[in-house]
Amino acid sequence: MKSTILKTSTALSAVMAVFLTSLPATDANAANIRVKCEKRADRSKVSVDGNNMVSGNYIAKIVSGDNVKESEAKATVGDEIEFDFDSSTKDVTTGATRISRSFIQGGRVTGQLINEQGFTVAQTTSTCSVK
């Protein structure tokens, strides 16, 4: 009986060790994301900012209602990255990704930061200010 209990205990310990080592590690320095958005009668404006990022290239994806827009890839600067989306031609000419004036739907925008392998490394949803 003791032999059976010992064998079962050893087998369970081995299974638990394999299971625990296969879980993804939690990084105390995980990427952070901030999404700010503003809706006006004639304008939609969204910024997606990340910090604590692993160096590399990322795209930002924003979603509001049925509207979806992705930025061009951009490299981190230090551990930070910033993306702007705007319907204002002036801001688009200075580097923002163009979105329609009616892009923001329901007063909320979800922003994602996606790495070169296509994995979403950070995501959050924000309520937009209305002006």
Side-chain angles (χ1 to χ4, degrees), residues 43-111:
R43 184 176 185 186
S44 286
K45 179 178 184 171
V46 180
S47 66
V48 178
D49 302 327
N51 64 21
N52 263 354
M53 306 294 294
V54 173
S55 293
N57 294 306
Y58 294 85
I59 63 167
K61 179 178 179 180
I62 58 172
V63 180
S64 186
D66 291 334
N67 297 325
V68 178
K69 187 70 173 189
E70 289 185 356
S71 70
E72 295 292 323
K74 185 187 278 192
T76 53
V77 176
D79 71 343
E80 297 181 347
I81 197 157
E82 299 177 2
F83 296 91
D84 292 316
F85 299 81
D86 210 308
S87 60
S88 166
T89 301
K90 177 183 171 194
D91 285 354
V92 170
T93 59
T94 60
T97 300
R98 179 176 296 285
I99 56 175
S100 71
R101 292 184 298 188
S102 60
F103 183 88
I104 297 172
Q105 301 293 307
R108 296 173 64 82
V109 173
T110 297

